[in-house]
Amino acid sequence: MSKRYVMVHDENRCIGCQACSVACRSENGVPEGVTRLQVRVEGPFGDAPHLHFKYNRVSCQQCENAPCVTVCPTGAAYVGDDGLVSIKEDKCVGCMYCVAACPYKVRFINPETKAADKCNFCKDTRLARGELPACVTVCPTDALTFGDANDPSSEVAKLINTKATYQEKTHLGTKPRVYRIPTKRGGIQS
Amino acid sequence: MNNTWGDMAQYDPVTWNWVIAVYLFMAGLSAGSILIGIGLRWYSKEKAIESAILKAAAIISPLAITLGLACLVFDLTKPFEFWLILVNYNFSSVMSIGVLALLLYSPIGIAYSLIVLRDELTKRKLDFLVPVAEALMPMRKAIEVVLFVLAIGVGAYTGFLISAMNAYPLLNTAVLPALFLVSGLSAGAAANAIGALLMFNTHSHDTNLSKMHGLELPVMLSEIMFLFMLFCALYFKGGAAAAALASLTTGVWASVFWVGVVGIGFAIPLLTMLMPSQTRHSKGVMIAVACCSLTGVLALRHFVIYAGQSYIS
């Protein structure tokens, strides 16, 4: 695995416009009622007039140590050569062990294929053509950055190395590959 | 209120529902029932006659696992492709290991049942199965030992299956497999008692039945101890794990726990032990107590599945 695809979500730049979510739906043909990607607007936090919101990206974290892959009985959930956690639809029986085991709750059963589904960084479509994932391309504020963190000259590597970032639920040992740049607004927290 | 980011239905934390709780109950019941049946046979001096308890276990155990597996298969989103799980294995998955255990356990359990029930087969017009039972007879000891070991595996596996999910502090504990194994034993004993009393008309003072009755108190006490250990572990771990203790005080699953598991499952059977021996050993009371134990174990599986998935770390 020479590549290490990561995504950085700058929560300062994000405005919660949902363009990414719409682009994802159209690019990946995600059926009604289910989503691969949500940006939840949480808050407001702080005291008026200094209010701010938190924009929480909810999508597959592409864990390096993915619980969904460990628990999958048939090997339908697997880590590809590119390091991305993917699903072999025809091998999935729909036991929902992966849906239950995912600490980020981002897996769902696709109502059309009846197989488990989730974000795969547009691996089969845009990434295969050498393009960026749909959500990254469409973001009007450039809140999303995507690339190979193993390449020191890449934009993501520079971002991770220079900005303060955090990942969700690192205490579970999953090593998520979605990095977040926290909102800096608001008061000093004790 | 509507939100801009869309439907939240898929984010319901409870992925596995009552169908899985019933499966976990059935698998525990099947394993517990045959473990008690075989265990009592090994400890009884009279090995030539099949005891009513063992005969009841020979019916209950394969029936329970079959019904449980039916629940499991029809809970899949692609039930008719369940065979994929039988041909593809991922040994880092507890489910895969369980599938392998069940693949051996189920047919061996049926084979053992034929051996135990060979006399009943003729009575119930199933003569065509008698030659099969006779052919299996010489291998009885081996089948018995293998089945006993596999039953321990199946009983504990249901606990390992859900404790493997480290996002849920209430499930991700080391005592869960042990708790499920002992509560399976108590369900098995209860079901065996009902089977022996109703299907094989055992006298309620039968020696084997009393022996099994003697097991109930230690089994129930270890169940209570494991539950206590489970909640202590959560308390001392702190953080999200300690927050999961709210499952004992809030919501419908707290009621299921206190009424179903503690009240019906533990308190009623324990209180009946205070009754005069004459009443306590009447057929009616024994069956009622056994039904209470079964209800308690079923409630425990539901509590663990639902409350377990409701608290995420």
Side-chain angles (χ1 to χ4, degrees):
Chain A
M1 259 178 263
S2 53
K3 281 201 190 311
R4 186 169 170 270
Y5 285 123
V6 304
M7 184 171 286
V8 182
H9 179 217
D10 190 336
E11 294 172 357
N12 282 300
R13 291 187 167 198
C14 184
I15 52 169
C17 71
Q18 310 295 330
C20 51
S21 172
V22 175
C24 170
R25 185 171 291 282
S26 120
E27 178 66 43
N28 299 298
V30 182
E32 243 344 84
V34 289
T35 44
R36 285 187 175 195
L37 161 64
Q38 288 192 342
V39 174
R40 297 194 191 143
V41 183
E42 293 165 4
F45 299 104
D47 296 316
H50 306 291
L51 297 174
H52 72 276
F53 288 91
K54 177 180 160 53
Y55 301 101
N56 183 17
R57 182 186 164 104
V58 180
S59 66
C60 176
Q61 307 290 300
Q62 293 294 347
C63 305
E64 281 176 61
N65 182 14
C68 55
V69 174
T70 315
V71 301
C72 178
T74 61
Y78 71 103
V79 178
D81 297 332
D82 46 10
L84 296 180
V85 177
S86 310
I87 300 157
K88 287 177 190 139
E89 254 171 42
D90 50 351
K91 255 189 159 185
C92 175
V93 290
C95 69
M96 295 192 276
Y97 204 5
C98 62
V99 180
C102 172
Y104 307 96
K105 298 280 114 198
V106 292
R107 283 184 161 247
F108 58 93
I109 297 293
N110 186 311
E112 282 166 10
T113 63
K114 304 282 179 204
D117 201 347
K118 62 168 193 71
C119 159
N120 60 1
F121 287 164
C122 294
K123 168 182 167 152
D124 306 314
T125 52
R126 300 186 60 91
L127 220 55
R129 297 195 295 264
E131 295 164 347
L132 290 168
C135 54
V136 179
T137 312
V138 83
C139 180
T141 58
D142 284 338
L144 292 168
T145 315
F146 176 83
D148 178 13
N150 278 351
D151 170 9
S153 65
S154 71
E155 215 181 323
V156 275
K158 286 180 194 159
L159 257 185
I160 297 173
N161 289 337
T162 54
K163 295 262 189 176
T165 56
Y166 73 101
Q167 295 138 286
E168 273 195 343
K169 299 190 182 184
T170 46
H171 64 283
L172 294 173
T174 50
K175 297 193 185 168
R177 278 182 286 212
V178 170
Y179 289 76
R180 297 144 196 275
I181 300 173
T183 320
K184 272 184 289 197
R185 282 159 291 194
I188 296 165
Q189 287 181 347
S190 58
Chain B
M1 197 180 76
N2 231 334
N3 58 53
T4 53
W5 53 92
D7 205 333
M8 290 290 286
Q10 85 188 52
Y11 298 95
D12 183 352
V14 180
T15 307
W16 277 351
N17 54 21
W18 63 271
V19 184
I20 299 297
V22 170
Y23 158 67
L24 298 177
F25 169 74
M26 287 294 183
L29 170 64
S30 169
S33 149
I34 203 70
L35 280 173
I36 297 225
I38 295 177
L40 282 177
R41 179 181 142 83
W42 287 347
Y43 276 95
S44 102
K45 291 181 191 84
E46 188 66 71
K47 286 204 175 71
I49 308 161
E50 310 293 352
S51 74
I53 299 274
L54 186 58
K55 280 187 192 170
I59 291 176
I60 291 159
S61 175
L63 197 66
I65 200 66
T66 312
L67 289 174
L69 289 175
C71 283
L72 200 57
V73 167
F74 286 102
D75 192 52
L76 298 175
T77 58
K78 299 194 222 169
F80 300 108
E81 285 172 43
F82 79 94
W83 53 270
L84 282 168
I85 235 171
L86 303 176
V87 293
N88 296 298
Y89 289 90
N90 166 19
F91 289 103
S92 70
S93 168
V94 181
M95 192 182 280
S96 259
I97 299 167
V99 165
L100 210 54
L102 287 164
L103 208 54
L104 296 169
Y105 173 81
S106 310
I108 294 176
I110 292 170
Y112 187 65
S113 294
L114 289 177
I115 295 175
V116 173
L117 299 168
R118 62 194 180 283
D119 294 339
E120 300 290 322
L121 293 173
T122 22
K123 278 184 221 161
R124 307 197 189 224
K125 300 199 175 82
L126 290 164
D127 300 88
F128 66 99
L129 287 170
V130 178
V132 185
E134 295 294 342
L136 289 165
M137 229 7 219
M139 290 181 284
R140 177 172 191 155
K141 189 76 201 173
I143 291 178
E144 211 167 61
V145 173
V146 172
L147 185 61
F148 192 84
V149 174
L150 284 171
I152 295 176
V154 168
Y157 143 75
T158 54
F160 282 113
L161 179 74
I162 54 176
S163 73
M165 298 189 281
N166 70 348
Y168 303 112
L170 185 59
L171 301 182
N172 189 222
T173 56
V175 293
L176 206 62
L179 172 68
F180 273 25
L181 185 60
V182 288
S183 75
L185 282 176
S186 95
N192 285 354
I194 297 176
L197 288 166
L198 293 182
M199 287 191 288
F200 298 102
N201 285 320
T202 316
H203 195 263
S204 52
H205 291 279
D206 175 76
T207 7
N208 273 310
L209 200 59
S210 332
K211 265 189 204 155
M212 189 169 74
H213 214 46
L215 281 174
E216 273 166 20
L217 188 63
V219 165
M220 204 177 286
L221 290 179
S222 39
E223 225 179 309
I224 294 171
M225 182 184 76
F226 285 134
L227 268 173
F228 186 68
M229 284 162 70
L230 173 74
F231 293 119
C232 276
L234 292 180
Y235 178 78
F236 289 119
K237 206 170 178 183
L245 285 172
S247 58
L248 289 181
T249 49
T250 44
V252 63
W253 299 108
S255 320
V256 169
F257 181 79
W258 291 109
V259 177
V261 181
V262 179
I264 300 174
F266 297 142
I268 295 181
L270 287 175
L271 287 173
T272 48
M273 286 178 189
L274 301 173
M275 285 167 120
S277 168
Q278 207 66 34
T279 342
R280 182 155 53 101
H281 290 115
S282 72
K283 207 166 171 172
V285 171
M286 285 181 88
I287 289 175
V289 168
C291 287
C292 285
S293 296
L294 284 171
T295 310
V297 177
L298 187 59
L300 176 69
R301 296 299 194 273
H302 278 84
F303 170 77
V304 170
I305 277 284
Y306 282 94
Q309 290 180 90
S310 303
Y311 297 90
I312 188 161
S313 80

